[in-house]
Amino acid sequence: MKAHEILPKELLDAIQEYIQGETIYIPKRANSYQKWGGICSGGSRQYLDKRNQEIRKAFRSGKSMEELARVYHLSTESIKKIIYAKKKEKLL
């Protein structure tokens, strides 16, 4: 998009006081961000939540992090993050 096509002239003039001919990034408003998987209709978030619950349950049952990493095709560091996440665990 070109700034002169979407911004009011007064705003464009004000921006040009600070920068001209360069590309700038304008971030989204903080309240417009969605949690990852929040609007996904494919069920990715639900799948990962269920998988992570299974990983935590298996760990509590005595499976090692290395074994869980092999079974779930994840790094041991990823398994560690899942196990020790401060997220409240939903009961199955």
Side-chain angles (χ1 to χ4, degrees), residues 11-24:
L11 179 56
L12 183 57
D13 289 342
I15 292 171
Q16 286 174 327
E17 292 290 322
Y18 299 95
I19 188 168
Q20 294 184 40
E22 300 290 332
T23 302
I24 61 170

Side-chain angles (χ1 to χ4, degrees), residues 1-9 12 16:
M1 286 185 200
K2 298 193 183 269
H4 72 274
E5 296 172 349
I6 59 171
L7 298 176
K9 182 172 177 4
L12 183 57
Q16 286 174 327

Side-chain angles (χ1 to χ4, degrees), residues 21-32:
E22 300 290 332
T23 302
I24 61 170
Y25 170 74
I26 301 173
K28 291 182 180 182
R29 291 181 176 168
N31 62 355
S32 67

Side-chain angles (χ1 to χ4, degrees), residues 29-76:
R29 291 181 176 168
N31 62 355
S32 67
Y33 285 101
Q34 294 285 330
K35 181 180 175 185
W36 184 87
I39 58 173
C40 179
S41 61
S44 298
R45 180 78 264 157
Q46 292 86 356
Y47 166 78
L48 292 176
D49 286 344
K50 186 173 187 284
R51 180 204 66 184
N52 293 351
Q53 288 175 354
E54 290 172 1
I55 290 170
R56 287 188 285 273
K57 184 177 179 182
F59 181 74
R60 286 192 307 268
S61 297
K63 301 268 186 199
S64 71
M65 287 187 203
E66 292 77 15
E67 185 177 358
L68 291 169
R70 280 192 306 278
V71 169
Y72 288 94
H73 307 285
L74 296 169
S75 69
T76 53

